[in-house]
Amino acid sequence: MDKRSIADTRGRSQPRVKIEDVAREANVSPATVSRVLNHPEIVRPELRDKVMRHIANLSYTPDSAARALKSGRMRTIGAIVPTLALGIFAEGVEALQNRLSESGYTLFIANSQYNQRRELQEMQNLIERGIDGIVLVGGSHGRELRALVEQTGVPVITTYVSKAGGGIPAIGIDNERATREITEFLLSLGHVRFGAIANISPSNDRSRARLDGIQRALAEAGIRLQPTQVIRADYSLAQGRSALRQLLTDHPDTTAVICTTDTLAIGAMSEARKMGLSVPQALSITGFDDVELSSQVDPPLTTISIPAAEIGRGAADYLINAIAGRPVPKSVLLPYRLVMRSSTDSPRTAKRLPRRPR
Amino acid sequence: MDKRSIADTRGRSQPRVKIEDVAREANVSPATVSRVLNHPEIVRPELRDKVMRHIANLSYTPDSAARALKSGRMRTIGAIVPTLALGIFAEGVEALQNRLSESGYTLFIANSQYNQRRELQEMQNLIERGIDGIVLVGGSHGRELRALVEQTGVPVITTYVSKAGGGIPAIGIDNERATREITEFLLSLGHVRFGAIANISPSNDRSRARLDGIQRALAEAGIRLQPTQVIRADYSLAQGRSALRQLLTDHPDTTAVICTTDTLAIGAMSEARKMGLSVPQALSITGFDDVELSSQVDPPLTTISIPAAEIGRGAADYLINAIAGRPVPKSVLLPYRLVMRSSTDSPRTAKRLPRRPR
DNA sequence: GCTAAATCTGAAAACGATTTCATAAAATCG
DNA sequence: CGATTTTATGAAATCGTTTTCAGATTTAGC
């Protein structure tokens, strides 16, 4: 007993006020208090007000564990994003969170670090904790994860893509069409010698689709990218730099570089400057995502703007409806926007590579 | 009943396997299964293995609501960050998450959007959900939040600062000393005409401390910043730009600009270039945080590097220990690092403002 | 003004785990 | 080898809600 009282010193100070306490205080049954909290409309107004006053007085908050145990609902949804470091996800997540909290839901965020195993693990965590719905990013998710979704029946939606495998609904843009469009734009400016910098990885189907779009548009124009004209990179500035350097080493006559990410494009642009190539006169460069920085760099970057906030809101609405058992769309395709800024122009062969005359 | 079976169509597919199911299957009591899960060492090895096999077979996962209700522990900790858009927080959060998952904890992330009301609200959410510990950012948190911490006794730690109000323990760097050091560095280069760009807001004591450091170091050198030499901004690139413009309008002879954030510094730098001022010849600029971009811009930015990963790990360790009732340090002060790159140099008055001869 | 229907409220049974307490089996000892 | 301690297991109480079911009260109908 002595031991216990010592331990108490650092334990929860207050003994926690329970529904029973406010019931006693308000002279009603616990059932009534519960009803005031969950179905206010079915309890007589005066009584309801009285109970509410006592709830406030004792500053009672229901124990969510008990509540979740009994009701099976957690009023919580989870989002698993590949990384927190990217502005584009941050914007979507913040919109998601705002919309959810309007509906009384709380958002928990986990990150997978672009790793499918981690993603699965976080998913299991979330499900074990009784999450009501889950937001994923991208369409490639491994068989186990899809099985888990299937088995547990938790509503799931994936974002930033227009379709996903395994019957998981999606909300996002058509990545392939977007890069097709940006490529066609460059073609229309007169470019014929292209390079691509893409951050391809097994778990990143967005970049994969973007690269496909580039290649498809070029193919339609009768141009085929050779393997050395497609440089792989992760999503850092430094990789953008080295990718550009490598590309120009192998193909010094390149006039247009299409990147699957703004970060890569910005890295490439600063490397181009360092190499003495002016953008866009000597080299046109494009990005994807339209992060804040892209409009601020010099020259401002031509890129694709993604409706991240709408994606977040749409995902929230989808899950709220799905949880409530209301009908939901199978997938939602949102429009992207090609933002033409100053990092692209017609190729001017006269000015090519001033310091490599050959 | 008919209704119910229709509803079941879209509900959880499997009826959920309970502890009782695996108990029956393994010919033991539920109590034993529970012990295998929670105190494996007290059950006979062969029996334990048998039970574990059946657990795996049925792929049983304990219902965390029931578990939390009975045991009062959730094995979950929460972090409330001001924004997800900043790389510096992302790095810390990822380290936090990694360390926590090593110890069987799950991290839930919420964001307050630099808003104390939102922070309080998220905190209440977390606590209602029975979170075991909370990580905050910065030291200024409003009376209500501190009262909540006091009242519930949830272990809390705040990060990125060296001390916080209200007895909340902290892990981080001495922001004031860091800017004092960077200011002294500029003084030692010979600068005498300073400007400061700071993202001050009521909830951001980090920037406040950083600004204090600047002013203190200057005061010690006998220099006093006038109000118009201190420009307020939020944390965007665009604001960094306009802040610099305003500063140079009022004080065209400024030679050194100290920013409380890398983002502001990079914005300021690109505005300086646009105005025809070369950095560092005409103007020295410094940042704070050392984000990835800072080493990649031209010229690379002189700044303060924060041990974000260590902060994250330290916060995790603190909470794990505190929850287990082990002794914990009151506060942890971590070293920052002054990273001298090329955005700073001695002032050269000869080259001042070439296009404003006057 | 009395009966029938509608509306509220309370008592008690879940929800699925953990843990105390008691008991059965095994190990230890003289 | 019997008595005693130790160890391992099971039965049942419990955590704090929600919700069903039935009873009590009010309202409506004629």
Side-chain angles (χ1 to χ4, degrees):
Chain A
M1 283 300 143
D2 277 332
K3 241 182 190 170
R4 168 123 189 104
S5 68
I6 288 169
D8 278 357
T9 309
R10 69 125 227 127
R12 304 280 185 278
S13 329
Q14 312 284 95
R16 195 181 210 339
V17 20
K18 307 189 284 190
I19 200 170
E20 197 184 304
D21 300 328
V22 8
R24 189 173 342 101
E25 207 74 12
N27 264 323
V28 297
S29 75
T32 301
V33 179
S34 171
R35 275 189 279 257
V36 168
L37 251 24
N38 299 295
H39 315 281
E41 69 283 0
I42 68 166
V43 30
R44 197 155 36 91
E46 19 170 344
L47 190 56
R48 188 197 328 164
D49 292 347
K50 184 170 86 178
V51 171
M52 296 224 276
R53 264 203 319 283
H54 287 276
I55 289 177
N57 260 355
L58 301 177
S59 67
Y60 162 75
T61 51
D63 179 311
S64 73
R67 173 179 258 192
L69 173 58
K70 188 63 186 119
S71 69
R73 283 207 179 339
M74 185 78 171
R75 299 240 104 195
T76 295
I77 88 115
I80 307 177
V81 296
T83 177
L84 297 167
L86 264 49
I88 186 73
F89 294 140
E91 190 185 345
V93 166
E94 287 179 0
L96 177 67
Q97 188 173 46
N98 290 337
R99 179 59 67 92
L100 285 175
S101 73
E102 284 170 16
S103 303
Y105 279 84
T106 301
L107 176 67
F108 286 154
I109 305 160
N111 89 86
S112 64
Q113 321 219 88
Y114 283 103
N115 176 330
Q116 291 205 0
R117 201 171 40 71
R118 273 293 290 272
E119 186 179 47
L120 178 63
Q121 191 184 312
E122 293 291 345
M123 180 110 174
Q124 280 169 328
N125 264 327
L126 255 16
I127 288 179
E128 270 180 40
R129 276 161 176 82
I131 217 90
D132 295 319
I134 296 182
V135 178
L136 260 25
V137 171
S140 54
H141 295 293
R143 203 169 30 73
E144 292 178 87
L145 188 143
R146 291 201 306 274
L148 195 60
V149 171
E150 188 79 24
Q151 192 199 338
T152 59
V154 185
V156 171
I157 186 168
T158 186
T159 54
Y160 292 89
V161 292
S162 52
K163 52 180 175 288
I168 297 177
I171 177 169
I173 64 164
D174 185 336
N175 286 278
E176 186 189 327
R177 204 156 79 77
T179 44
R180 232 160 61 206
E181 194 168 323
I182 211 168
T183 307
E184 283 159 7
F185 167 65
L186 287 167
L187 284 165
S188 76
L189 289 176
H191 291 276
V192 290
R193 288 185 297 277
F194 287 83
I197 301 177
N199 56 330
I200 323 186
S201 80
S203 69
N204 192 336
D205 60 328
R206 278 132 9 250
S207 267
R208 178 75 248 173
R210 292 173 193 177
L211 183 57
D212 288 347
I214 298 169
Q215 290 174 317
R216 185 147 156 204
L218 291 178
E220 280 171 9
I223 299 173
R224 244 194 74 229
L225 281 185
Q226 298 182 281
T228 52
Q229 289 178 299
V230 179
I231 314 288
R232 286 158 183 260
D234 66 13
Y235 46 93
S236 73
L237 281 171
Q239 294 253 332
R241 298 190 98 115
S242 60
L244 184 82
R245 181 174 291 273
Q246 191 189 325
L247 178 67
L248 291 185
T249 305
D250 294 347
H251 302 274
D253 54 356
T254 304
T255 66
V257 178
I258 306 174
C259 305
T260 57
T261 270
D262 276 2
T263 310
L264 290 174
I266 292 168
M269 233 163 59
S270 71
E271 185 68 17
R273 155 176 296 154
K274 199 167 160 194
M275 293 172 73
L277 292 174
S278 63
V279 176
Q281 291 81 8
L283 196 64
S284 286
I285 295 182
T286 66
F288 204 117
D289 287 345
D290 196 21
V291 299
E292 191 212 352
L293 183 57
S294 301
S295 62
Q296 304 289 329
V297 286
D298 177 33
L301 188 66
T302 293
T303 188
I304 299 283
S305 170
I306 297 179
E310 269 179 74
I311 290 176
R313 278 194 296 273
D317 290 341
Y318 176 93
L319 287 179
I320 292 169
N321 286 327
I323 292 166
R326 288 190 284 265
V328 285
K330 217 174 109 41
S331 278
V332 180
L333 185 64
L334 260 22
Y336 56 84
R337 202 157 46 80
L338 170 55
V339 183
M340 285 176 266
R341 289 199 276 245
S342 317
S343 68
T344 45
D345 202 347
S346 306
R348 309 197 194 153
T349 45
K351 299 195 179 175
R352 291 288 309 143
L353 294 179
R355 58 180 216 184
R356 288 197 193 191
R358 190 184 0 176
Chain B
M1 285 298 146
D2 277 332
K3 241 183 189 171
R4 169 125 187 101
S5 68
I6 287 170
D8 278 357
T9 308
R10 68 126 228 126
R12 304 282 186 275
S13 329
Q14 310 285 94
R16 196 183 209 336
V17 19
K18 308 189 283 191
I19 200 171
E20 198 184 302
D21 300 328
V22 9
R24 189 174 341 101
E25 207 73 14
N27 265 320
V28 297
S29 77
T32 301
V33 180
S34 171
R35 276 188 280 255
V36 168
L37 251 24
N38 299 295
H39 315 281
E41 68 283 1
I42 67 166
V43 30
R44 196 156 38 90
E46 19 170 343
L47 190 56
R48 187 200 324 164
D49 293 347
K50 185 170 85 177
V51 171
M52 295 224 276
R53 265 203 318 282
H54 286 277
I55 288 177
N57 259 355
L58 300 178
S59 67
Y60 162 75
T61 50
D63 178 310
S64 74
R67 172 178 258 192
L69 173 58
K70 188 63 184 105
S71 69
R73 283 206 179 342
M74 186 76 170
R75 299 239 104 194
T76 295
I77 89 115
I80 307 177
V81 296
T83 176
L84 297 167
L86 263 49
I88 186 73
F89 293 139
E91 189 185 345
V93 166
E94 287 179 1
L96 177 67
Q97 188 173 47
N98 290 338
R99 179 59 66 95
L100 285 175
S101 73
E102 283 170 16
S103 303
Y105 279 84
T106 300
L107 176 67
F108 287 154
I109 305 160
N111 89 85
S112 65
Q113 321 219 85
Y114 283 104
N115 177 332
Q116 290 205 1
R117 201 170 40 71
R118 274 292 289 272
E119 185 179 46
L120 179 63
Q121 191 183 312
E122 293 291 346
M123 180 109 172
Q124 280 169 328
N125 263 327
L126 255 16
I127 288 179
E128 270 181 38
R129 278 166 175 77
I131 218 90
D132 296 317
I134 296 182
V135 178
L136 259 25
V137 171
S140 55
H141 295 294
R143 203 169 29 74
E144 293 177 86
L145 187 143
R146 290 202 306 275
L148 194 61
V149 171
E150 189 79 25
Q151 192 200 336
T152 59
V154 185
V156 172
I157 186 168
T158 186
T159 54
Y160 292 90
V161 292
S162 53
K163 52 180 175 287
I168 297 178
I171 177 168
I173 64 165
D174 185 336
N175 285 277
E176 186 188 327
R177 205 156 78 78
T179 44
R180 230 160 63 207
E181 194 168 324
I182 211 167
T183 306
E184 283 160 7
F185 168 65
L186 287 166
L187 284 165
S188 76
L189 289 176
H191 291 274
V192 290
R193 288 185 298 277
F194 287 84
I197 302 177
N199 56 330
I200 323 187
S201 79
S203 70
N204 192 337
D205 60 329
R206 277 131 8 250
S207 267
R208 178 75 247 171
R210 292 173 192 177
L211 183 57
D212 287 347
I214 299 169
Q215 289 172 318
R216 184 145 157 208
L218 290 178
E220 279 171 10
I223 299 174
R224 244 195 71 230
L225 280 185
Q226 298 183 281
T228 53
Q229 289 178 299
V230 178
I231 315 287
R232 287 160 182 259
D234 66 15
Y235 47 93
S236 73
L237 281 170
Q239 294 253 334
R241 299 190 95 114
S242 61
L244 185 81
R245 181 174 290 274
Q246 191 189 325
L247 178 66
L248 290 185
T249 305
D250 295 348
H251 302 274
D253 55 355
T254 303
T255 67
V257 178
I258 305 174
C259 306
T260 58
T261 268
D262 277 2
T263 311
L264 290 174
I266 292 168
M269 234 163 59
S270 70
E271 185 67 17
R273 156 175 294 154
K274 198 167 161 193
M275 293 172 73
L277 291 174
S278 63
V279 176
Q281 290 80 9
L283 195 64
S284 285
I285 294 183
T286 66
F288 204 118
D289 285 345
D290 196 21
V291 299
E292 191 212 352
L293 183 57
S294 302
S295 62
Q296 304 288 329
V297 287
D298 178 34
L301 188 66
T302 293
T303 188
I304 298 283
S305 170
I306 298 179
E310 269 179 74
I311 291 177
R313 279 193 296 272
D317 291 340
Y318 176 93
L319 287 180
I320 291 168
N321 286 328
I323 292 167
R326 288 189 284 264
V328 285
K330 216 173 110 42
S331 278
V332 180
L333 185 64
L334 260 22
Y336 56 85
R337 202 158 47 81
L338 171 55
V339 182
M340 285 175 265
R341 289 199 275 245
S342 317
S343 68
T344 46
D345 202 348
S346 307
R348 309 198 194 152
T349 46
K351 298 195 179 175
R352 292 287 311 144
L353 293 179
R355 59 182 219 185
R356 288 197 191 190
R358 190 179 4 175

